[in-house]
Amino acid sequence: MRKEFKMTDEQYNRLQDACKPVPYMVFGGVAPPSPQENANRAWKQLGDELGFEYMTVEPVPGKNNKYFTAEIKEVG
């Protein structure tokens, strides 16, 4: 079942920060996580906080970026 959610300013800012590229130098052939990996991790954390499946997020047309719908996370 889909439900509409609204992020707080703090949650929104945390998500935006996770999407920013991180400058780095590679030593030993190990690169840091990509912006996409960081964004996915931030969405997963938000899903855990608010109780939704983070891979099912969709924007709400006509509302600002803090509003979205997602499938409610199954308990258990």
Side-chain angles (χ1 to χ4, degrees):
M1 180 168 130
R2 292 195 80 75
K3 177 181 172 186
E4 184 174 303
F5 294 89
K6 181 185 179 200
M7 291 181 258
T8 65
D9 289 340
E10 187 271 327
Q11 290 167 329
Y12 181 76
N13 291 337
R14 189 174 65 215
L15 196 65
Q16 291 298 305
D17 288 343
C19 296
K20 293 178 183 174
V22 179
Y24 66 92
M25 295 175 67
V26 177
F27 294 99
V30 178
S34 71
Q36 182 66 57
E37 291 168 319
N38 290 336
N40 288 347
R41 189 172 20 265
W43 275 109
K44 183 177 183 326
Q45 182 182 11
L46 187 60
D48 291 343
E49 287 176 27
L50 299 179
F52 65 85
E53 296 291 341
Y54 77 101
M55 294 298 285
T56 66
V57 170
E58 294 180 5
V60 176
K63 291 193 175 182
N64 70 37
N65 292 336
K66 293 180 186 174
Y67 291 89
F68 60 93
T69 64
E71 294 288 330
I72 297 172
K73 187 178 281 190
E74 295 288 328
V75 178

